[in-house]
Amino acid sequence: MPEKHTAEIKAEPFAFPLKRDAIALVVIDMQRDFAEPGGFGASLGNDVGRITKIIPDVKRLIEGFRMAGLPVIHTMECHRPDLSDLPPAKRNRGNPALKIGDAGPMGRVLIAGEAGTAILSELAPIDGEIVIEKPGKGAFYATPLGDILKARGIEQIVFAGVTTEVCVQTTMREANDRGYECLLAEEATESYFPEFKTAAIAMITAQGAIVGWVGSVDDIIKGIA
Ligand code: C5J
């Protein structure tokens, strides 16, 4: 089958070969629980201010995809209220004083439908955008994401969201193994640990883009425009 690259986006470790008709943006877990005081991230002792700082860049990227008429998919890490999709191995780690499913200042932590689980209002999905509720760190595990992407003919994914080395990197690895070409938007992703973001990007792009590429929000928006 002939390749259908339409342009290149400046990226590391080399230019990303864009297929403009087959690319989607996946925004990982930009939820209040990871970004606001009182949420899951804060309960683990993290500086959530690191996450709120990227909101303008994530917003710019989402708007770039919307303007280009390209799909935007949002994910939310969350569990059913009866905890039937929360393995004890996940629930029993973290902060024993505020476990997933416990009642916190923003409702039950990481439970579907609770206030703290919602996507940040600045980045809220608009009508027609898909929201994937995921019980794992990776967005393909136990979700319809793979089928949705296949039905839409998606072959390439731009990733944004948090945290770089946990849910973003896990999902990029899942996508890479499923044959998607993955491009991480550098300023639109963040970690609670700056050194982990740097390391994750190095791991992703090493060995000739073994997991994928990294590029700037500006270059990605320019590429898809
Ligand atoms: C974490 C995530 N870090 N969205 N979740 O627990 O990265």
Side-chain angles (χ1 to χ4, degrees):
M1 207 165 86
E3 290 291 304
K4 49 178 180 179
H5 299 152
T6 53
E8 288 190 337
I9 295 176
K10 187 168 169 254
E12 294 296 335
F14 54 89
F16 182 79
L18 175 69
K19 298 175 183 170
R20 198 187 172 287
D21 295 338
I23 195 161
L25 172 64
V26 174
V27 183
I28 303 283
D29 300 358
M30 289 301 295
Q31 298 164 245
R32 297 183 65 200
D33 255 323
F34 294 109
E36 292 186 13
F40 180 64
S43 81
L44 297 173
N46 295 309
D47 171 11
V48 292
R50 295 190 55 78
I51 306 301
T52 48
K53 275 202 195 109
I54 68 164
I55 293 173
D57 286 312
V58 180
K59 193 171 161 64
R60 233 155 40 83
L61 186 62
I62 290 175
E63 283 167 358
F65 270 75
R66 285 177 184 156
M67 293 253 295
L70 295 173
V72 178
I73 297 172
H74 307 256
T75 73
M76 291 170 49
E77 182 174 347
C78 62
H79 297 272
R80 297 187 193 127
D82 66 4
L83 308 187
S84 56
D85 60 355
L86 176 60
K90 182 174 181 184
R91 176 163 155 80
N92 292 335
R93 275 176 286 157
N95 178 355
L98 193 66
K99 293 180 179 181
I100 297 173
D102 289 350
M106 295 195 288
R108 291 181 69 200
V109 174
L110 289 186
I111 297 300
E114 298 286 336
T117 309
I119 291 172
L120 292 160
S121 57
E122 300 93 322
L123 306 176
I126 59 171
D127 277 356
E129 288 178 354
I130 290 161
V131 179
I132 302 284
E133 295 189 350
K134 64 183 189 56
K137 302 302 181 192
F140 286 83
Y141 167 68
T143 77
L145 180 59
D147 291 340
I148 288 168
L149 295 173
K150 206 177 282 176
R152 291 175 168 233
I154 299 300
E155 298 174 23
Q156 299 186 325
I157 304 172
V158 170
F159 282 98
V162 298
T163 59
T164 315
E165 79 284 8
V166 185
C167 291
V168 175
Q169 185 177 203
T170 303
T171 306
M172 280 188 82
R173 288 175 180 275
E174 287 181 324
N176 187 49
D177 281 349
R178 286 164 172 78
Y180 295 95
E181 290 170 310
C182 301
L183 171 60
L184 178 63
E186 186 162 8
E187 319 93 293
T189 183
E190 195 47 90
S191 170
Y192 298 118
F193 308 91
E195 67 277 22
F196 288 180
K197 174 175 175 178
T198 303
I201 288 173
M203 284 184 240
I204 286 163
T205 55
Q207 304 177 77
I210 198 154
V211 175
W213 288 255
V214 62
S216 74
V217 170
D218 279 344
D219 285 330
I220 294 169
I221 291 173
K222 205 169 5 147
I224 59 169

